[in-house]
Amino acid sequence: MFPVFTVVFVLSLLFAGRIAYLRKKEAREDSEFWEREKAANLTPKRDITNLPYINIPIDKFPFDSCSLPAEEADIEMLRSLSGQKILNLVGKTNTDLKEAYGPQNLPELQACGDRFDQLETALLHLGQSRISAEDYPSALRFLEYAAGIRSDISTVYTALGDCYAALGQPRKIKNLISTVPSANLMLENKVLDHLNKLLPPELPPEENFTSEDK
């Protein structure tokens, strides 16, 4: 049987070794980041005219069905965003953008990404508001578009699944499940669990669609 002080000494060595390893790893990653950032800042300016900008189909949304005062601000937001340049930059860092398009384009690209955040938020709010009013067909119009532009807001997908369940459309829930792994959701497993629980017994949960299979 090992003396207590020997066990403590060994554990202390292991702990110290772990700390040293993590510090070296952090220093290496920090050095690599700044080297990459330095190179990104020297990237020539590139043409961003033909990027996959999002065109909002403003005339396709059921604004006439939105009769609640709380919906007015989100409707106005969608109208104001219509015609502006919008990009889904989810998962892209500033360094990624500078490497790809040059640092001179970064402010404009950031603005395009900010507009995407505003767009997906307004769509979600309107979808949730229509669900509260039990206007599921109108809610679908907002939420399906949000999912179609690959919103990274998890609630978009759970709310959309709730709409399909309320309308008796389990096949669409299954199709939605298949798209979730490509949406870069932080709460992907919770979203998949929620959607799988909405499936009726004759349509068992899709066990293939988990984050481990991404």
Side-chain angles (χ1 to χ4, degrees):
M1 188 171 182
F2 291 105
V4 173
F5 74 88
T6 302
V7 174
V8 172
F9 178 71
V10 171
L11 291 175
S12 298
L13 287 178
L14 292 173
F15 180 74
R18 179 62 177 170
I19 292 297
Y21 167 78
L22 291 175
R23 285 177 177 171
K24 287 181 180 179
K25 182 172 182 280
E26 182 179 353
R28 182 175 66 254
E29 291 175 347
D30 191 57
S31 176
E32 290 173 352
F33 167 77
W34 286 112
E35 284 296 323
R36 186 179 168 214
E37 181 71 6
K38 181 180 178 180
N41 285 328
L42 298 175
T43 302
K45 183 178 181 179
R46 299 194 173 117
D47 184 16
I48 60 173
T49 304
N50 296 316
L51 294 182
Y53 295 104
I54 295 170
N55 295 313
I56 302 175
I58 201 70
D59 295 332
K60 302 295 184 182
F61 293 125
F63 292 141
D64 290 343
S65 299
C66 301
S67 56
L68 301 177
E71 296 170 323
E72 293 177 3
D74 292 302
I75 291 174
E76 181 56 32
M77 174 60 71
L78 292 184
R79 293 190 186 282
S80 68
L81 290 171
S82 178
Q84 297 192 60
K85 290 184 177 180
I86 302 171
L87 286 170
N88 182 344
L89 300 176
V90 172
K92 301 289 186 182
T93 66
N94 287 344
T95 304
D96 293 332
L97 296 174
K98 288 189 289 187
E99 282 181 331
Y101 306 107
Q104 298 91 337
N105 283 319
L106 183 60
E108 183 173 353
L109 291 171
Q110 288 175 323
C112 291
D114 290 343
R115 292 183 198 115
F116 180 83
D117 295 339
Q118 295 170 335
L119 171 60
E120 62 177 350
T121 300
L123 290 168
L124 173 60
H125 287 170
L126 289 168
Q128 289 177 317
S129 180
R130 290 295 87 206
I131 288 175
S132 297
E134 298 185 353
D135 180 9
Y136 298 108
S138 294
L140 283 184
R141 301 277 288 279
F142 296 112
L143 297 172
E144 284 183 333
Y145 183 72
I149 61 175
R150 290 294 184 267
S151 169
D152 66 331
I153 301 178
S154 298
T155 312
V156 165
Y157 301 88
T158 55
L160 185 51
D162 291 340
C163 281
Y164 289 144
L167 294 170
Q169 299 175 328
R171 294 290 176 185
K172 288 190 175 181
I173 298 175
K174 290 190 69 175
N175 290 337
L176 181 61
I177 288 172
S178 70
T179 69
V180 167
S182 64
N184 292 309
L185 304 181
M186 290 185 64
L187 302 177
E188 180 182 309
N189 281 340
K190 289 187 177 180
V191 171
L192 290 171
D193 183 60
H194 180 89
L195 294 177
N196 280 321
K197 287 179 179 178
L198 294 176
L199 293 173
E202 63 271 18
L203 286 172
E206 293 287 347
E207 297 179 353
N208 292 330
F209 299 119
T210 64
S211 61
E212 289 77 14
D213 294 329
K214 285 180 67 176

